Amino acid sequence: MAEDIQQLILNTLASQGKIQDTRTLVLPGQSDAAATQDAQIAILGALNSLLSREMVTIDFHETLSHVLTQEGAQIALESSHEARVWKVLPMKGEGTPLTVQELQEAVGKESASVGQGRAFKAKWIGKEGGGFVKLVSSIEDKTQLELREVDSTGTLQAGEKALADLRKRKLIAQKKGQWFTVHKGSNFGTSIARPETDLTADMIASGSWKTSTFKKYNFEAEGIPPNGGAFHPLLKVREEIRDIFLEMGFVQFFEMPTSSFVESGFWCFDALFVPQQHPAREVQDTFYLSDPSASLPPPKKYYDRVAKVHESGGYGSLGYRAPWSDAESRKLLLRTHTTASSAAMLWKLAAKCRGEDFDEETQSVIAGEVTVAKKEDGFRPAKLFSIDRVFRNETMDATHLAEFHQVEGVVADRNLTLADLIGFMRVFFKKMGIENIRFKPAYNPYTEPSLEIFAFHPQLKKWVEVGNSGMFRPEMLEPMGFPKDVHVHGWGIGLERPTMIRYGISNIRTLVGHKVSIEGVENSPAVRF
Ligand SMILES: N[C@@H](Cc1ccccc1)C(=O)O
């Protein structure tokens, strides 16, 4: 059909030079001229395609045409209210006149009231002995005829006054329409050649490109969505959080290496002054490896200092006064928190304080920018962070899995106080869009004081725990070699909870695991806190 119309337009242009008014065209398969809007829309489709090939140029004209309202359409189909009234009445002198009530019963209330008035005015009906009768034996239902005309032509030959009358009766409504004047374009011809979409090597070799018509580039086209990878929502939130760290002076290099999912009890617990009998170390809470089951020996001198501070204390502490187990310390496990990596990193940061050199990795991670220690004791301040996976042997439910991600930050400097930690936390959470936070005293074996962080959840309308933090204990820092005036504060938050809140996900399995929909991942928007 579209091609037929295109051909008709081209033929008409060839024979007449131009088409002044597209409403005069008689479309293929039709007997009347294309006066309706539907026909003009079909013509516009054909014109657009010719326009893109520069075969025609067009002028646009706007018209106001009319369409039937629902009531109008019904009248066009059946008959007007006045005709309905006339039809049910007996001829004058030939039967019992109908009362108002009988009329209403016969044609319905609306037709009775509207139709009666109009039929009277037209002198179709009259009154006789308190009832209604017909005055004429036949009528012409003008309203219906006019509506049928509007329906097929969009207007009335009778003119604007008649149209206005129908509009007032809410039987028709105005509708904007279009028609066109068509001229020959620069590529005018009567055959619709398929335009070339690509310039090929063959065309260049044969020279046919000189006479080919090419399809115009459509710079407005949306393009095909790239069929590539997409970041998982957790990764998008991770990027956002990483940006917050960088804004707060954590240099990119200071993202801690956290590739060791498998750690020893030493780094995950002992170095953090977690007693060897602590419940978190039991199999119900921690996954242990069976093969290999024991780690290589940790750095000897440091190991001895850690063992000593546990067993008998030191650095002003009494220690746990319990026997030390080398086997417990060497057990291999899936790390239960990224604080295991923080401990290893802090130990490396203290290398110069111990009179050693930074190893290569530490050199690049910690000492990338400032290598010169400010004081004789070799300490240099650092802001370290990590975002990575941890594992816990927990019962799984809608919001807990056996593995999840922790976001962890550690700041080491001289004479840091709890106020520094609180201030830091406020800024960090504010940047995540959480302004309302509270701190609650808590207990961690490796921090004193320790604070749990609560945020007000606007949807749940209650305070929820969002993080855990504290000042690392001297029993942890001093065996590493840090001078006494170096204080370190640290804190950790989960990555999954803010992500679930951000994306309105209530079951963790929608986010992680085999039920994740690839489409959902591809379509999930980037987050901005
Ligand atoms: N390791 C703690 C978080 C934390 C990190 C550093 C200091 C204090 C607390 C946790 O898993 O919840």
Side-chain angles (χ1 to χ4, degrees):
M1 178 69 178
E3 295 234 332
D4 290 352
I5 301 178
Q6 289 175 28
Q7 195 62 62
L8 170 76
I9 291 168
L10 295 178
N11 292 347
T12 313
L13 281 176
S15 63
Q16 299 177 9
K18 79 169 188 177
I19 302 169
Q20 176 55 41
D21 183 345
T22 46
R23 289 173 301 181
T24 61
L25 289 172
V26 179
L27 297 187
Q30 302 286 308
S31 49
D32 296 324
T36 64
Q37 260 316 291
D38 283 350
Q40 291 304 309
I41 287 166
I43 289 172
L44 180 61
L47 286 173
N48 275 335
S49 153
L50 296 174
L51 264 178
S52 71
R53 285 174 248 169
E54 296 180 15
M55 297 178 81
V56 299
T57 62
I58 61 179
D59 304 327
F60 291 84
H61 306 277
E62 241 182 29
T63 57
L64 273 181
S65 72
H66 287 87
V67 287
L68 304 188
T69 61
Q70 201 180 352
E71 190 185 354
Q74 190 166 3
I75 291 172
L77 195 69
E78 294 163 5
S79 59
S80 66
H81 300 300
E82 53 271 29
R84 250 174 267 171
V85 167
W86 173 84
K87 206 182 281 166
V88 296
L89 295 182
M91 193 64 195
K92 184 180 163 95
E94 285 177 14
T96 333
L98 294 192
T99 62
V100 177
Q101 188 145 18
E102 285 167 331
L103 184 62
Q104 281 181 359
E105 271 161 29
V107 297
K109 260 196 172 152
E110 207 205 334
S111 287
S113 68
V114 179
Q116 187 211 113
R118 295 194 60 83
F120 253 110
K121 230 170 131 197
K123 299 204 169 68
W124 292 352
I125 67 169
K127 277 207 163 162
E128 194 184 65
F132 299 107
V133 288
K134 269 183 189 146
L135 298 179
V136 292
S137 59
S138 71
I139 55 160
E140 188 183 66
D141 191 350
K142 191 166 148 250
T143 307
Q144 186 185 42
L145 293 176
E146 283 182 347
L147 289 174
R148 287 182 177 174
E149 186 184 340
V150 170
D151 194 28
S152 59
T153 66
T155 184
L156 280 181
Q157 295 222 306
E160 180 50 35
K161 203 169 160 292
L163 285 168
D165 184 42
L166 291 179
R167 275 205 302 272
K168 216 169 87 197
R169 288 161 68 191
K170 297 209 162 49
L171 300 180
I172 62 172
Q174 271 183 336
K175 189 182 152 202
K176 277 202 174 136
Q178 277 186 309
W179 57 276
F180 318 95
T181 301
V182 191
H183 310 272
K184 291 179 184 171
S186 54
N187 286 334
F188 179 77
T190 48
S191 66
I192 314 172
R194 287 235 151 267
E196 304 290 350
T197 48
D198 278 314
L199 179 64
T200 63
D202 284 347
M203 289 178 179
I204 295 171
S206 70
S208 75
W209 63 272
K210 289 182 203 157
T211 50
S212 306
T213 26
F214 288 92
K215 196 165 180 187
K216 282 197 123 188
Y217 279 113
N218 177 4
F219 292 106
E220 242 88 289
E222 297 234 312
I224 303 161
N227 190 9
F231 279 122
H232 186 276
L234 279 176
L235 291 182
K236 289 177 185 161
V237 174
R238 190 172 85 169
E239 270 324 293
E240 268 301 294
I241 292 181
R242 185 173 280 152
D243 283 350
I244 293 176
F245 276 115
L246 300 184
E247 279 172 27
M248 293 185 74
F250 288 69
V251 184
Q252 190 115 44
F253 284 137
F254 292 9
E255 184 159 353
M256 292 184 259
T258 46
S259 53
S260 46
F261 289 6
V262 173
E263 278 290 0
S264 59
F266 180 78
W267 286 113
C268 197
F269 301 121
D270 295 332
L272 292 162
F273 200 54
V274 178
Q276 293 197 317
Q277 296 77 21
H278 195 276
R281 299 176 74 144
E282 284 172 25
V283 275
Q284 307 90 276
D285 294 307
T286 302
F287 290 114
Y288 287 92
L289 268 67
S290 53
D291 185 20
S293 61
S295 74
L296 297 172
K300 176 82 174 81
K301 284 190 203 150
Y302 175 50
Y303 175 86
D304 290 344
R305 288 195 296 272
V306 170
K308 185 164 171 292
V309 77
H310 276 250
E311 240 181 344
S312 55
Y315 319 100
S317 168
L318 292 175
Y320 290 118
R321 315 242 143 180
W324 170 262
S325 157
D326 179 58
E328 189 63 39
S329 190
R330 300 275 290 276
K331 276 184 184 169
L332 281 178
L333 47 84
L334 293 179
R335 69 169 174 230
T336 58
H337 52 184
T338 44
T339 318
S341 301
S342 302
M345 206 64 227
L346 285 170
W347 175 72
K348 288 177 178 175
L349 177 70
K352 292 221 165 150
C353 310
R354 297 190 299 267
E356 299 163 17
D357 265 338
F358 289 146
D359 64 20
E360 217 172 282
E361 188 180 48
T362 314
Q363 189 70 32
S364 70
V365 176
I366 296 176
E369 304 216 325
V370 194
T371 42
V372 191
K374 286 196 191 117
K375 239 179 158 185
E376 287 300 289
D377 60 18
F379 171 71
R380 49 140 309 161
K383 283 174 165 175
L384 308 165
F385 77 96
S386 66
I387 308 175
D388 211 340
R389 202 173 286 218
V390 298
F391 308 85
R392 289 191 194 167
N393 195 357
E394 273 179 320
T395 344
M396 299 197 268
D397 60 25
T399 51
H400 295 87
L401 290 179
E403 54 176 283
F404 57 98
H405 291 78
Q406 280 191 331
V407 177
E408 178 147 331
V410 167
V411 179
D413 206 348
R414 295 186 200 276
N415 301 317
L416 281 178
T417 66
L418 190 65
D420 292 306
L421 169 62
I422 291 177
F424 184 89
M425 290 284 79
R426 287 202 188 283
V427 176
F428 184 87
F429 279 101
K430 193 171 175 194
K431 283 177 183 279
M432 273 184 73
I434 303 172
E435 304 236 359
N436 216 354
I437 61 171
R438 279 185 186 170
F439 299 91
K440 181 178 151 191
Y443 172 76
N444 289 316
Y446 39 92
T447 52
E448 181 59 35
S450 308
L451 300 172
E452 275 169 0
I453 305 148
F454 284 75
F456 191 75
H457 194 301
Q459 275 104 44
L460 299 176
K461 295 205 179 8
K462 61 174 188 178
W463 292 87
V464 294
E465 196 201 326
V466 288
N468 180 11
S469 66
M471 307 292 295
F472 285 116
R473 295 184 79 104
E475 288 97 325
M476 167 185 164
L477 299 177
E478 291 188 36
M480 291 178 171
F482 284 113
K484 276 199 184 309
D485 63 345
V486 169
H487 299 167
V488 181
H489 63 62
W491 48 276
I493 66 170
L495 183 64
E496 278 77 0
R497 189 177 287 176
T499 306
M500 286 170 74
I501 295 173
R502 274 325 270 193
Y503 287 94
I505 295 171
S506 55
N507 192 325
I508 184 93
R509 291 175 180 88
T510 316
L511 193 65
V512 186
H514 66 282
K515 287 190 181 160
V516 170
S517 94
I518 302 274
E519 226 170 81
V521 169
E522 278 179 347
N523 297 335
S524 64
V527 282
R528 283 277 170 267
F529 287 127

